[in-house]
Amino acid sequence: MRRTFVIYIRQSFASKEPPLVPLDDIRCPPPTTNSSGFVEVDEVTIRRPVTPHNYRSDGILEVSASASHPIHDLIAEAENKWHVKENIASKNIREAFYEYQRRYGRLPPKGFDRWWNYVQEHNVKLPDDYDQIWLDLEPFWGMDPIELQQFQKEQEGHAESFTIGKIEGGPISVVNRSLTKPELLRSSEAFLSLLNPIEEHLPAFRAVVSPHDNPYGFIDYDVKQALLKAAKAKYHLKVKDLPPRSSRGWMTACDEHQDTHTTTTRGDFFGKTFIHDHYKAMNPCMHPKYLDIHGQFLSYDGHPPGPDRPMVPKFAFCSTPLHYDIRIPNTVSWTEDIHPQEHNPEWDDRADERLSWRGRNTGIWHTSQNKWRDTQRPRTVTFTNQMDGEVDVLFPSPNRDDPVGESVKMARSKLNPALFDVAFVGSPLQCPEEYCHEIENMFDWRRYQDTRGAGKFKYVLDVDGNGWSSRFQRLMISNALVFKTTIYPEWFMDRIQPWVHYVPVQVDLSDLYDTFLFFRGDLLGRGSHPDQARKIAQNSRKWAKEFWRKEDMTAYTFRLFLEYARVMSPERDSMNFRI
């Protein structure tokens, strides 16, 4: 009788080296002898028990060397989540009505039926998934609507803002505007274009909108929690009833008792991480290091603004978990498709396998005294072009079930030229003239990349600028595989699935090499996963064509302003929809 013995060896978490295993710790099945009294053994396989990857509560996965490459699992889990989300979406208004109540604990707003009709007529998918609207507006349910209207009115006319409004039965228009730059004027017109098709269905309202790239409403955590508590209990607070203002810098927006994580380096865990929840991975409350590596925070030069004690309702094109600006879509950089089509070849027809990025040096005002070098864009350009030193990388295995193993040291001078084509374009901006000349000598400045040039790359990177990246939609509608790093959850976050439609990358870029190498393979292409790369790239374009149309943005703003008009009204409790 021929038998195979599988011996499992216990490994101590205190050491990365396999310990000596006493004979008593080896468990073998009792042998069965043949007629000659011998046991014939084909092979003896020694396997260590697999330690699973650690899914942390801050959205980060810690890699276990003994488990298979985590990106396999991250993709499979994300595909399952997306499949479930699509399958359980409400099919009729009755289902949507009850799903709304289940999620938010109140009746839908008046006009919900007209919104539903628009969604059905324009084939807007996932009609239940508008949680971002709830997250943005829920604190205002805890405020006195009379005071809310007062605060909103006081905001009108502030420098570089515009106010849109509608009287009952009238059209939507810009009722107050203090914009001077032509590009800012265009943003107000573009936003109105989303509302014009449905203006007859909206109730009266007035709303102040910032046309800038950045959010401005800074949260006081204690104030927000008091308002959320009031909203849940269905009462409202006046400003005099709010908690006193805190003063903990940027962390004023965070729970001071919240744990922050450090990466484990013991046992099978050796410091490598990936994103498993991109929304949480964007949150500076969970990742305070972002305060030192992103222009959104470094722009204040160590003196963050004080929090707004009353949360004043205002709209912006982006926000962070530390801000309370109400998110709205932006159509300024939106495009229906890439033209001409021959400049957008299929993923397999793109010859260049490097990760590409081109952009301006936006994100902060550059001076010799501030920390602009640590902000996202200069840091990305430096990170991907640096020639000195070594970096620890995970080289992927072509076999799904192989242990990921531990990292290998590689010279940046070998990796970076082969993996990345990342550069600033044009000439320096957002700097004093004399300092711009200095910055120009610090980097290699390239020409602008046209659609033909961009179409050569299989892989593209998206990085925040002054605020959120307006190019993300254009990248998604291409046939490239998009890698995205950001701190700004956008209006569509409930309606997109990382690892299905794009590849999330940590803000500090600590996973960029390992994530990219999984898809591309090593320097010779070994261990690559082109099928997964192609699939996500195709999913990306399909998603952009089906979920990021103008009709989808109008559906979002339609529902948003039904909700906003209700929460701002003293008659809010009667502005409900019932079946």
Side-chain angles (χ1 to χ4, degrees):
M1 177 180 179
R2 302 174 66 82
R3 304 187 59 189
T4 298
F5 286 85
V6 179
I7 301 176
Y8 291 90
I9 297 181
R10 299 174 182 171
Q11 179 173 343
S12 167
F13 267 44
S15 170
K16 292 184 180 179
E17 298 299 324
L20 295 175
V21 182
L23 188 60
D24 290 344
D25 278 357
I26 297 179
R27 304 287 184 252
C28 297
T32 302
T33 58
N34 59 18
S35 58
S36 302
F38 294 97
V39 177
E40 296 185 13
V41 178
D42 284 332
E43 60 181 325
V44 175
T45 302
I46 299 178
R47 296 179 185 166
R48 290 162 43 197
V50 173
T51 302
H53 303 302
N54 180 28
Y55 288 70
R56 296 190 333 211
S57 61
D58 62 352
I60 300 300
L61 176 150
E62 292 181 327
V63 178
S64 165
S66 62
S68 62
H69 200 295
I71 291 182
H72 291 295
D73 296 330
L74 291 169
I75 291 174
E77 292 160 5
E79 288 176 341
N80 182 61
K81 289 177 182 176
W82 184 251
H83 178 71
V84 169
K85 182 175 284 193
E86 288 189 306
N87 282 342
I88 66 173
S90 295
K91 305 298 189 295
N92 55 62
I93 192 170
R94 181 173 292 275
E95 290 181 1
F97 173 79
Y98 288 114
E99 177 62 16
Y100 183 103
Q101 291 184 86
R102 185 193 70 80
R103 291 189 183 211
Y104 311 128
R106 66 170 61 93
L107 292 168
K110 185 178 180 181
F112 188 76
D113 52 341
R114 296 191 292 274
W115 172 82
W116 178 264
N117 290 338
Y118 180 89
V119 164
Q120 295 303 298
E121 290 169 8
H122 294 87
N123 194 29
V124 176
K125 302 178 185 299
L126 299 183
D128 305 310
D129 291 287
Y130 291 86
D131 292 350
Q132 190 61 61
I133 294 176
W134 180 84
L135 290 170
D136 285 348
L137 294 183
E138 189 64 9
F140 298 116
W141 277 93
M143 294 182 69
D144 181 347
I146 300 295
E147 289 191 335
L148 272 180
Q149 289 186 345
Q150 176 188 336
F151 300 145
Q152 184 275 323
K153 187 174 182 180
E154 291 171 356
Q155 284 290 309
E156 293 187 14
H158 276 212
E160 300 298 344
S161 70
F162 63 93
T163 303
I164 58 173
K166 180 182 187 294
I167 60 173
E168 204 67 50
I172 296 174
S173 61
V174 176
V175 296
N176 197 330
R177 180 159 49 196
S178 59
L179 306 177
T180 56
K181 299 178 181 178
E183 63 271 20
L184 299 182
L185 290 170
R186 287 197 299 271
S187 69
S188 66
E189 295 163 358
F191 183 60
L192 276 183
S193 71
L194 296 179
L195 292 168
N196 291 147
I198 44 89
E199 61 185 358
E200 63 182 300
H201 303 304
L202 292 175
F205 70 89
R206 291 176 78 93
V208 177
V209 182
S210 167
H212 291 285
D213 296 338
N214 304 94
Y216 290 97
F218 183 36
I219 295 170
D220 184 312
Y221 176 83
D222 294 334
V223 169
K224 183 177 180 180
Q225 292 307 305
L227 293 173
L228 289 174
K229 180 180 178 181
K232 186 175 182 179
K234 296 183 169 40
Y235 65 88
H236 56 248
L237 299 171
K238 292 185 177 293
V239 172
K240 64 180 180 63
D241 301 321
L242 295 175
R245 179 183 293 184
S246 302
S247 181
R248 294 184 287 118
W250 287 113
M251 300 307 287
T252 302
C254 308
D255 181 357
E256 61 181 318
H257 304 297
Q258 177 176 307
D259 291 332
T260 56
H261 298 266
T262 55
T263 302
T264 305
T265 53
R266 60 183 177 83
D268 280 353
F269 299 105
F270 56 103
K272 287 293 185 178
T273 58
F274 294 92
I275 292 174
H276 75 83
D277 185 325
H278 201 190
Y279 199 96
K280 291 180 178 179
M282 297 179 197
N283 193 337
C285 291
M286 298 181 178
H287 307 277
K289 62 184 175 183
Y290 296 174
L291 304 177
D292 297 319
I293 60 174
H294 200 284
Q296 177 65 54
F297 311 110
L298 288 175
S299 293
Y300 289 85
D301 202 20
H303 303 285
D308 298 336
R309 188 161 177 264
M311 293 176 62
V312 182
K314 47 195 171 186
F315 293 78
F317 295 122
C318 73
S319 190
T320 80
L322 307 190
H323 295 83
Y324 65 87
D325 303 73
I326 304 166
R327 294 160 180 82
I328 51 176
N330 186 356
T331 65
V332 170
S333 299
W334 182 89
T335 182
E336 188 172 356
D337 211 333
I338 294 174
H339 297 290
Q341 282 294 308
E342 56 264 28
H343 290 182
N344 187 30
E346 297 294 328
W347 187 84
D348 286 296
D349 297 330
R350 293 166 175 249
D352 201 317
E353 296 192 340
R354 292 174 296 170
L355 182 65
S356 173
W357 181 85
R358 294 287 188 278
R360 307 298 301 275
N361 62 310
T362 57
I364 195 172
W365 179 255
H366 302 65
T367 73
S368 58
Q369 283 78 43
N370 68 10
K371 297 180 179 180
W372 64 266
R373 292 175 180 82
D374 297 333
T375 62
Q376 59 278 13
R377 290 195 169 186
R379 186 164 42 81
T380 300
V381 173
T382 301
F383 183 89
T384 53
N385 286 279
Q386 189 174 348
M387 291 292 109
D388 58 319
E390 294 181 321
V391 63
D392 290 326
V393 296
L394 285 179
F395 284 120
S397 167
N399 300 316
R400 169 72 173 83
D401 296 326
D402 284 351
V404 66
E406 298 196 6
S407 55
V408 177
K409 285 191 179 298
M410 287 287 294
R412 292 181 187 271
S413 59
K414 291 184 178 180
L415 282 174
N416 285 356
L419 299 184
F420 304 120
D421 183 43
V422 173
F424 286 129
V425 297
S427 58
L429 76 168
Q430 296 183 187
C431 45
E433 183 176 355
E434 66 279 3
Y435 196 58
C436 280
H437 293 311
E438 291 188 38
I439 295 175
E440 192 166 16
N441 295 324
M442 297 178 187
F443 299 97
D444 178 23
W445 300 80
R446 309 272 186 88
R447 293 183 301 173
Y448 285 89
Q449 193 177 65
D450 59 14
T451 55
R452 182 186 295 276
K456 297 177 182 179
F457 290 93
K458 276 182 158 67
Y459 308 98
V460 293
L461 179 64
D462 190 46
V463 183
D464 294 336
N466 287 328
W468 95 116
S469 169
S470 63
R471 77 178 67 183
F472 184 51
Q473 187 266 344
R474 298 198 308 275
L475 297 179
M476 292 290 284
I477 212 164
S478 75
N479 287 305
L481 175 57
V482 181
F483 292 71
K484 183 173 180 61
T485 171
T486 184
I487 63 165
Y488 301 106
E490 295 188 52
W491 65 273
F492 50 75
M493 286 302 295
D494 307 306
R495 310 172 60 73
I496 195 170
Q497 189 67 54
W499 296 111
V500 172
H501 303 119
Y502 68 93
V503 177
V505 176
Q506 294 179 57
V507 175
D508 64 2
L509 305 180
S510 59
D511 57 347
L512 182 60
Y513 284 109
D514 304 324
T515 305
F516 184 45
L517 287 169
F518 174 85
F519 295 101
R520 182 206 181 277
D522 66 14
L523 298 184
L524 298 177
R526 294 171 301 195
S528 64
H529 293 86
D531 292 342
Q532 287 93 328
R534 182 188 307 106
K535 185 176 183 180
I536 297 176
Q538 291 171 346
N539 289 343
S540 167
R541 178 170 169 81
K542 183 174 185 289
W543 180 87
K545 299 287 280 185
E546 295 181 358
F547 286 83
W548 205 335
R549 306 166 301 156
K550 284 194 174 180
E551 293 85 352
D552 300 303
M553 292 186 280
T554 291
Y556 188 92
T557 52
F558 191 167
R559 180 153 164 174
L560 172 61
F561 279 96
L562 288 178
E563 299 278 14
Y564 173 75
R566 176 170 65 164
V567 76
M568 292 294 291
S569 173
E571 307 300 322
R572 58 169 62 158
D573 292 332
S574 64
M575 295 176 66
N576 301 322
F577 169 78
R578 289 180 170 82
I579 288 289

